[in-house]
Amino acid sequence: MRSAIIEKTAKDLPVAPNWPDSAFAEARFTWQAAASALSGLPGGGLNLAHEAVDRHAAGPRAQHPALRFLERNGSRRELSYLQLSRQTNRFANVLKQLGVAPGERLFVLCNRGLELYLGVLGGLKNGCVVSPLFSAFGPEPLETRLRLGECSVLLTSEALYRKKVAGLRDKLPLLKHVLLYDETGGHARLDGTLDLGDLLAAASEDFAIAATTADTPSLLHFTSGTTGTPKGALHVHGAALTHYITGKYALDLHPDDIYWCSADPGWVTGTSYGILAPLLLGVTSVVDCGDFDAERWYGILEKERITVWYTAPTAIRMLMKAGPELARRHFHPQLRFVASVGEPLNPEAVWWGKEVLGLPIHDNWWQTETGGIMIANIPVMPIKPGSMGKPLPGVEAAIVQHGEDGSLTLLDDEQVGELALKQPWPGMFRTYLGQEERYRRCFVGDWYLSGDLARRDADGYYWFIGRSDDVIKSAGHLIGPFEVESTLMEHSAVAEAAVIGKPDPLLGETVKAFVSLKRGREASEALHDELIGHARKRLGAAVAPKELEFLASLPRTRSGKLMRRLLKARELGLPEGDTSTLENPL
Ligand code: ATP
Ligand code: MG
């Protein structure tokens, strides 16, 4: 029987959780005290790569596997912390010998594989500001980001370079060095580029890390572009503490975990939690170099004996589509914690986890800007399916109303308003590149305004309502698309749903739903009426969609987020705006 709450206590968990109880809003945590978990650079200062790799390489975890690559050809390759330390030192030496100074921008355009890790971690060791990019981007989005980010060094594969970057070289006058590798293991010899293999072979395994501090810029991440043109959020080395603490409490990483983050490194989750957090905690991280395939993914959970898995609603949706039989053919008793981020996680998906995987999915919330997880369902907490959870230790969240006059009111439980976070915290972004004014507008007094609408219930759980741009105002009601979409997804025919507001002279806006169907289900007038009837029964006529259209699939960003603004623009015949992050652009 499905209930409104999935009860849990520490006693139900297979290992003692890092955070022992669900009362974490209390003052038992300070960032200052937490900072003692990091070692700092030998001469003072802080460097993300030192904390993630070298401090383990110099201690008892030196021989512990840091990374386990599942290569596209089916082979596996493991690297210990010591090996990773030496290899990233080589890459840092390559940069140094080329005269790349701390602060210069290194862009990493790589498929998942060793080079990606060498680039990000070696770049951080040399003091570069590193920006990982989606390897699936076409030339245009690449050019925009490389130019805005003032890229001076690019690490990429020969194939990606030929296809996407070679034609842009004239437009990138600041790009001094292109380091190429051949994904099949050969040499990459192309005019105007350097062969990474040659350079690494000649470089030393010893490197003295650049003198970075907690305030030195470290990573440049572009937002997903769900609501408009992607913004370049600049982060600092001090984010190491946020990654460490959230890896420890929100993902509950323990030293012997085998962890898998299935997010692409082209967006912030793939870097913060696919590269840095697991290494900061000294665990073994599985890196799947292949593409999504439901059967193979279940096989990874089983064969690699994954204990903690961090994924996204879009991947869960694809697994749900593949059907429960496939899941039940795989056995993964060691899997103890599954978390998801990036989009609202429909209650349906939380329950699917419990019923099909044997574990409920734990939703958590954060943004490119926050640098790390802020609100989460941690292992010890009862889950309220559909809620993002509670603010983590060290995070003070509030629901606020921001007046035109610059005033800010903190709202009570159950009131809908903008989700805000008390600043500062160690992982927060330090600017939007080239948009200082826009950055400043995100802050009012002590608070950072997220642009997301939410409410908090009397138990302190936060519920996502929608992005402020997506929320619908109809006949005086504030309608969050997520609630309507979740209700439509409860219907057995519906695979995906997206809801927008359409201008209406009488009501302000009316609700229109777009729906894609599960395999084997056909669109028909009868199903159309049935879905509208289902939504009316659950939500009431004022909130249920007035119109409903079937689509083969819904437009999503490459990180799997629904682009409601695109559906709206298409519906209203308006310009589509920035579609650089659209998946499978038509
Ligand atoms: P852009 O800012 O360019 O429009 P984006 O906001 O999608 O893109 P990200 O920083 O990758 O870029 O995504 C953060 C956003 O994703 C959050 O502000 C929120 O709207 C959404 N999000 C993330 N996690 C959750 C979650 N658990 N539940 C609901 N929404 C989430
Ligand atoms: Mg955003």
Side-chain angles (χ1 to χ4, degrees), residues 223-231 267 341-344 363-369 388 452 464 467 561:
T223 60
S224 294
T226 316
T227 53
T229 304
K231 296 149 280 191
W267 67 300
V341 70
E343 271 206 303
D363 190 19
N364 60 52
W365 176 93
W366 60 291
Q367 309 179 299
T368 308
E369 290 86 341
M388 312 187 283
D452 285 345
F464 184 77
R467 292 159 182 276
K561 293 164 194 280

Side-chain angles (χ1 to χ4, degrees), residues 162-216:
R162 276 182 196 277
K163 210 156 98 191
K164 305 180 177 200
V165 187
L168 299 176
R169 279 300 282 271
D170 296 347
K171 300 182 190 161
L172 302 168
L174 299 179
L175 178 54
K176 290 190 288 202
H177 309 287
V178 175
L179 307 177
L180 287 194
Y181 58 96
D182 175 3
E183 277 177 309
T184 58
H187 286 281
R189 306 210 190 281
L190 281 183
D191 280 355
T193 70
L194 298 163
D195 179 65
L196 180 67
D198 288 347
L199 294 170
L200 285 175
S204 158
E205 284 182 350
D206 298 316
F207 186 79
I209 290 184
T212 50
T213 71
D215 292 318
T216 308

Side-chain angles (χ1 to χ4, degrees), residues 95-96 98-107 119 122-124 126-131 149-154 174-177 210 212 216-220 234 237:
L95 293 174
K96 196 167 185 181
L98 289 171
V100 179
E104 285 196 51
R105 308 263 169 77
L106 163 70
F107 277 65
L124 290 170
N126 189 50
C128 288
V129 177
V130 181
S131 187
E150 300 184 338
C151 168
S152 73
V153 188
L154 174 69
L174 299 179
L175 178 54
K176 290 190 288 202
H177 309 287
T212 50
T216 308
S218 58
L219 289 154
L220 172 66
L234 189 66
H237 282 269

Side-chain angles (χ1 to χ4, degrees), residues 222-231 267-269 313 340-345 363-370 375 386-388 432 438 448 450-453 464-470 482 557 559 561-562 565 581:
F222 289 89
T223 60
S224 294
T226 316
T227 53
T229 304
K231 296 149 280 191
W267 67 300
V268 71
T269 304
S340 159
V341 70
E343 271 206 303
L345 187 68
D363 190 19
N364 60 52
W365 176 93
W366 60 291
Q367 309 179 299
T368 308
E369 290 86 341
T370 68
I375 295 180
S387 159
M388 312 187 283
Y432 283 135
R438 187 165 189 178
Y448 161 71
S450 71
D452 285 345
L453 297 186
F464 184 77
I465 302 291
R467 292 159 182 276
S468 44
D469 295 5
D470 288 339
F482 173 52
T557 64
S559 47
K561 293 164 194 280
L562 266 180
R565 70 172 161 99
T581 59

